[in-house]
Amino acid sequence: MKTELKWAVVYVVMTMVWSLLGKGLGFHDANLAAGVIFNTLIIIPSVILYMLSMREKKIRYYGGQITYKQAFMSGLVLTLLVTILGPIYPLFTNLISPDLFDNSIRFVVATNQMSEADAVKQFTLSSFIVQGIFGALVFGLVYAAIISIFLRSKNPKTLINT
């Protein structure tokens, strides 16, 4: 579990850097419309970090041999830790961009994407935290399931620590 904890902390730091980058590029205010695309791109470093974590587990803990189940369990533990640490990201984002929710509300109302009442309900810190928790669980499980397919060893009969 040490490996997964280390990578969960790296993951949280990555999300904080991503938020700072988004703020610096104006995606929290002036370029809010492009922020949706930018925030979707976080999938790329997320998958890379999951892959690196699970690969490290394969090499250091399992001696280079790992079953699908072992790889998936490592990804599951990482997902649970990322989910537990997940509220740090919205809290940090709210700290560096206290106007983000107001800007988002104005943007979606001005572009007729949402009514003001719906936008006010949607763009809150608590909503951001809840969405982050569910997103971390769903995406983490998907990442773990897919990455495990590629990381599993070809000859499972010779595996150690099964």
Side-chain angles (χ1 to χ4, degrees):
M1 184 152 118
K2 266 198 285 189
T3 301
E4 293 87 358
L5 182 58
K6 174 184 100 174
W7 284 99
V9 170
V10 169
Y11 190 94
V12 169
V13 170
M14 180 273 298
T15 63
M16 294 168 72
V17 169
W18 195 265
S19 188
L20 284 169
L21 184 60
K23 168 98 172 141
L25 294 171
F27 296 137
H28 294 188
D29 43 54
N31 299 319
L32 197 59
V36 174
I37 295 167
F38 175 77
N39 287 329
T40 302
L41 292 175
I42 199 169
I43 290 171
I44 296 167
S46 296
V47 168
I48 291 169
L49 290 180
Y50 264 75
M51 185 185 64
L52 292 171
S53 171
M54 294 165 68
R55 183 174 165 267
E56 181 178 321
K57 187 73 169 201
K58 175 183 180 176
I59 293 167
R60 293 195 180 189
Y61 185 79
Y62 291 111
Q65 297 288 315
I66 196 167
T67 64
Y68 177 86
K69 181 180 175 183
Q70 290 167 330
F72 181 75
M73 292 306 293
S74 176
L76 177 62
V77 170
L78 178 60
T79 296
L80 293 175
L81 292 171
V82 165
T83 301
I84 290 167
L85 296 173
I88 293 171
Y89 170 70
L91 292 169
F92 178 76
T93 300
N94 192 51
L95 179 69
I96 64 166
S97 293
D99 296 331
L100 177 60
F101 297 127
D102 291 336
N103 294 341
S104 298
I105 291 167
R106 278 194 297 279
F107 176 77
V108 297
V109 171
T111 57
N112 296 317
Q113 295 178 35
M114 232 181 245
S115 71
E116 186 171 356
D118 289 340
V120 167
K121 288 181 201 169
Q122 175 74 28
F123 295 102
T124 66
L125 182 57
S126 60
S127 176
F128 196 17
I129 290 171
V130 170
Q131 289 172 26
I133 289 170
F134 284 111
L137 283 171
V138 171
F139 282 103
L141 291 174
V142 170
Y143 299 159
I146 293 171
I147 293 168
S148 295
I149 292 169
F150 296 102
L151 271 182
R152 69 178 184 225
S153 299
K154 305 298 180 226
N155 189 0
K157 292 177 187 170
T158 62
L159 297 181
I160 57 172
N161 293 333
T162 54

